[in-house]
Amino acid sequence: MKIFVTVGSTAPFDELVGIVDEVVALRKWQGRAQIGSGSARPLSLQWYSFRPSIKPDMEWSDVVVTHAGSCTLLEAIKTDRKVIAVPNPHAQGNIDAVKWASEDNYCLLESLESLPRVLPNIGTYVRKPYTPPGCWIAEKIKEFMVI
């Protein structure tokens, strides 16, 4: 199993990195971490602070564990990977987006406390594939244009 954990750029989330690092070590899985401005230095995960894009790491992984930031969450659910969202208590986030995604089964919404139980069993989780909504902006603009 290949796990990618991302904490975003707005606030450190060392606790999340630490839990994923422990599970990856116990399970002998492969892992990568985007640690942001945090001070965690995982032992079982390849890590970095920031990169221009985390998309290659999401595509490499089987599971994306995210800090539940709206942009990162949307990027993760656009992949066909299993997604676990763990809201960062140190950051102000859009919990509504995470609740929507979990209620529609695009991801699991978990806490730091539940993650060590959920992550080892993630192989049984089947999520709903994401289909982007249609975009009709060009057609609407043409309705108002005089040609």
Side-chain angles (χ1 to χ4, degrees), residues 24-67:
V24 165
L26 286 170
R27 295 283 174 166
K28 307 253 189 278
W29 289 344
Q30 297 177 55
R32 294 181 183 173
Q34 179 268 320
I35 64 167
S37 59
S39 59
R41 298 299 181 257
L43 301 174
S44 301
L45 307 170
Q46 297 173 5
W47 62 271
Y48 57 90
S49 295
F50 299 101
R51 286 190 179 154
S53 174
I54 60 174
K55 188 174 182 179
D57 294 305
M58 288 185 182
E59 291 172 349
W60 166 86
S61 70
D62 300 308
V63 179
V64 176
V65 180
T66 173
H67 63 104

Side-chain angles (χ1 to χ4, degrees), residues 66 68-78 83 85 97-98 100-101 107:
T66 173
S70 297
C71 292
T72 304
L73 179 64
L74 183 58
E75 187 82 15
I77 66 174
K78 284 180 178 179
V83 179
V98 180
W100 162 81
C107 72

Side-chain angles (χ1 to χ4, degrees), residues 79-141:
T79 71
D80 61 351
R81 305 317 188 247
K82 297 173 186 211
V83 179
I84 302 174
V86 181
N88 186 343
H90 311 296
Q92 187 175 20
N94 184 356
I95 196 68
D96 292 336
V98 180
K99 286 180 181 176
W100 162 81
S102 98
E103 288 168 1
D104 276 6
N105 196 32
Y106 294 119
C107 72
L108 294 174
L109 173 56
E110 298 297 335
S111 66
L112 287 171
E113 293 75 26
S114 65
L115 187 60
R117 291 187 310 274
V118 171
L119 193 51
N121 299 307
I122 192 67
T124 61
Y125 171 62
V126 179
R127 64 163 269 212
K128 177 179 172 182
Y130 177 73
T131 304
C135 180
W136 299 277
I137 294 171
E139 288 79 17
K140 291 295 178 186
I141 292 172

